[in-house]
Amino acid sequence: MRQEEIQKTYQAAKDFFATKQTLTLEFRQESLAALEKAIKRYEKELYGALKQDLNKSEHEAYVTELSLLYDELRLAQKKLKSWARPKRVKPTLAQLPGSVRVQAEPYGVALIMSPWNYPVLLTLNPLLGAIAAGNVCLVKPSAYSPATSSVLARLIHESLPAGLAYVIEGGREENSSLLDLPFDYIFFTGSPGVGRLVMEKASRHLTPVTLELGGRSPVIVDETADIAKTARRLTFGKLTNAGQTCIAPNHVFVQRTVAEELKDNLVENFQHSFPNEAYYRAYYPQIINEKHYQRLLNLLEGQNIVVGGKANAATLQIEPTIVMEPLPDAPLMQEEIFGPILPLVIYDDLVELLDRIRKEPKPLALYYFTSRKDLARRVLSEVSFGGGCINDCLVHIATPYAPFGGVGNSGMGNYHGEASFRAFSHYKTVVHKAWQADVELRYHPFDAKKLKWAKRLLG
């Protein structure tokens, strides 16, 4: 889409917001209900598109994308009235006689930029939060998942009231044109590198942002962990979407005393995840494109591969791969892997390990496998990260009842459930003052008596 068309679309969105239709809860509820019905109506097409773009099976697509969306939509429709209700807070002496309320209002026209790895979930989840809060949206899905982007464009256009949401398809040129516009809010999901560009562009218009970025999410496995279950749960975390998940286990720090046992269990799990070649081709996601496929193969050069590593250029599939003890300065240990490669790094002392992790950029997730509750509390208190699990991985994202987001290099702001409503809302404090009385302390002329009473009453 050309820059002139994007500008016209943006202006149309502003004009629609100015009609004030989105300010009513009835309009928002009807829009959310329409979106839910459309997702159900388009389910088969979405499955087909995800299969085409990422080779996702219907099972994986439902479990990791659509089921989470349905949970979010049901909660938003149930709780919207409560979320939007002005909240009464206690007035201070200076505000008496009167009442104080905090009232949510939509920002206006929001830009939602979504990635390719979970293109349905990570497009529609922010969108439903923006709609619940009363915003009008321009939605920019990823050019790397074109089949899904096309279905989403039709789904949104056909289901939502005209003017409420516009889908802009395209690549970098469209991204650049959109980021030059003075949006009222920007919600971006993607890499830290692009996130910095988004924030820089937003700063020119003082546009607030939510940045959902990535990070080298570490795993710690100590000698008290149930190693068999740890290996199985890590296999789930790494094989989901072929590791192309922002909160995927990036690398594992394993205590020396259980390193061989964990390695052997992981090898067994990796080898038995796919019973035959036909199942592997049908159910194992592909790497999104040739560029990322080659990037991952380059990371494996010179590494000690203990299982996997085979690749198929025709299908863009790379076998689940375990690397033992990569060098700290190897590219594999310097960047987010975002693929089906799991490095194992041996550690001896937890205190030294936590110091090492703290020196890295703050990760989006951290996973600690242990039977020691005291050590779990220590890790949680001493390491800053977006979110995570004790004795599991990925599943902390699977709820609309708790916020999800990064910190530092892994993002800013959060969403899911009420946090999504809050992300797309400005909260304004309003004092409603009564006429019956006044506090004389604030009025001139000031004197020693007024100062004395001010210190006594306000101190």
Side-chain angles (χ1 to χ4, degrees):
M1 183 180 287
R2 291 179 299 183
Q3 187 172 0
E4 299 80 21
E5 295 175 277
I6 291 176
Q7 176 66 52
K8 289 180 181 178
T9 304
Y10 168 78
Q11 187 58 50
K14 286 184 68 68
D15 292 344
F16 185 78
F17 183 73
T19 67
K20 303 178 184 176
Q21 292 183 59
T22 67
L23 300 185
T24 69
L25 295 187
E26 292 79 11
F27 179 88
R28 302 182 203 179
Q29 290 278 23
E30 290 171 1
S31 299
L32 291 172
L35 183 60
E36 182 179 9
K37 290 179 182 177
I39 296 170
K40 291 179 178 177
R41 190 168 63 248
Y42 272 84
E43 261 198 26
K44 289 298 181 184
E45 286 194 56
L46 290 170
Y47 293 143
L50 289 168
K51 183 72 173 175
Q52 183 176 338
D53 287 331
L54 286 151
N55 198 42
K56 280 190 185 181
S57 66
E58 183 174 329
H59 178 95
E60 184 163 335
Y62 180 79
V63 170
T64 65
E65 301 211 44
L66 272 70
S67 68
L68 303 180
L69 269 178
Y70 290 139
D71 284 346
E72 292 278 351
L73 279 161
R74 282 191 287 267
L75 183 66
Q77 292 173 79
K78 180 181 178 181
K79 294 290 188 178
L80 179 58
K81 188 175 181 180
S82 169
W83 294 345
R85 185 181 297 118
K87 307 298 191 295
R88 189 165 182 166
V89 299
K90 183 179 179 179
T92 65
L93 181 63
Q95 295 166 331
L96 292 174
S99 62
V100 185
R101 287 180 173 83
V102 179
Q103 181 174 332
E105 67 176 10
Y107 279 106
V109 180
L111 171 64
I112 295 171
M113 305 182 78
S114 60
W116 51 263
N117 57 332
Y118 293 88
V120 178
L121 176 66
L122 299 183
T123 300
L124 297 183
N125 201 347
L127 177 61
L128 73 89
I131 290 172
N135 297 275
V136 176
C137 299
L138 268 64
V139 179
K140 175 58 182 65
S142 174
Y144 284 0
S145 49
T148 309
S149 295
S150 177
V151 176
L152 288 172
R154 287 188 286 113
L155 184 158
I156 290 170
H157 175 73
E158 293 176 14
S159 65
L160 295 178
L164 179 58
Y166 301 86
V167 177
I168 309 294
E169 296 182 78
R172 292 184 179 180
E173 185 177 342
E174 285 75 13
N175 290 343
S176 180
S177 295
L178 285 165
L179 289 172
D180 284 335
L181 295 171
F183 284 95
D184 298 301
Y185 200 86
I186 296 176
F187 190 106
F188 170 80
T189 306
S191 69
V194 181
R196 292 185 183 93
L197 175 62
V198 171
M199 192 170 183
E200 179 186 339
K201 292 267 194 174
S203 70
R204 299 176 186 177
H205 304 291
L206 296 179
T207 300
V209 298
T210 292
L211 301 177
E212 295 295 340
L213 310 177
R216 291 170 28 80
S217 300
V219 179
I220 304 172
V221 180
D222 73 21
E223 62 188 2
T224 71
D226 182 325
I227 298 301
K229 289 182 179 177
T230 296
R232 193 174 189 204
R233 292 170 186 179
L234 286 176
T235 300
F236 155 75
K238 198 60 176 180
L239 268 57
T240 297
N241 204 26
Q244 298 170 116
T245 304
C246 59
I247 54 172
N250 190 78
H251 51 287
V252 178
F253 294 110
V254 54
Q255 198 161 11
R256 186 178 300 276
T257 51
V258 292
E260 281 297 314
E261 185 183 358
L262 179 65
K263 182 198 73 173
D264 292 343
N265 275 267
L266 282 169
V267 168
E268 183 179 354
N269 275 272
F270 276 32
Q271 289 177 331
H272 290 84
S273 292
F274 307 104
N276 53 59
E277 184 69 18
Y279 182 92
Y280 174 82
R281 293 286 182 88
Y283 283 86
Y284 184 50
Q286 69 185 50
I287 306 306
I288 186 63
N289 56 30
E290 176 67 32
K291 173 186 173 183
H292 285 281
Y293 171 83
Q294 193 57 53
R295 177 186 64 83
L296 290 167
L297 293 183
N298 291 340
L299 292 179
L300 290 174
E301 289 184 2
Q303 296 298 334
N304 178 23
I305 297 173
V306 296
V307 70
K310 295 179 182 178
N312 188 325
T315 61
L316 295 181
Q317 289 173 308
I318 299 175
E319 284 184 354
T321 305
I322 296 173
V323 173
M324 200 68 190
E325 283 282 73
L327 294 174
D329 58 352
L332 182 65
M333 293 300 292
Q334 295 298 313
E335 61 184 71
E336 184 178 6
I337 294 171
F338 222 70
I341 303 168
L342 188 62
L344 302 186
V345 181
I346 294 173
Y347 81 91
D348 293 298
D349 184 82
L350 182 62
V351 174
E352 293 179 1
L353 176 60
L354 295 184
D355 186 57
R356 173 178 175 176
I357 291 173
R358 284 193 296 268
K359 291 177 181 176
E360 297 283 332
K362 295 178 180 180
L364 185 56
L366 183 143
Y367 307 115
Y368 184 28
F369 291 81
T370 184
S371 294
R372 293 274 303 272
K373 292 183 179 180
D374 58 327
L375 293 182
R377 287 192 294 269
R378 179 172 185 173
V379 170
L380 293 176
S381 66
E382 293 186 9
V383 181
S384 178
F385 55 94
C389 305
I390 304 298
N391 300 332
D392 209 341
C393 54
L394 300 194
V395 294
H396 64 288
I397 196 176
T399 175
Y401 300 103
F404 171 81
V407 59
N409 192 69
S410 58
M412 63 176 63
N414 48 46
Y415 72 125
H416 287 194
E418 186 175 5
S420 292
F421 180 88
R422 296 181 68 87
F424 285 98
S425 297
H426 165 66
Y427 284 82
K428 56 187 180 185
T429 298
V430 178
V431 174
H432 191 168
K433 201 70 176 286
W435 291 111
Q436 287 85 343
D438 236 341
V439 177
E440 289 296 323
L441 288 178
R442 67 178 182 170
Y443 295 112
H444 286 286
F446 299 145
D447 55 29
K449 184 178 180 181
K450 282 188 176 181
L451 178 59
K452 178 180 178 181
W453 276 103
K455 289 182 175 181
R456 178 176 295 180
L457 295 174
L458 303 177

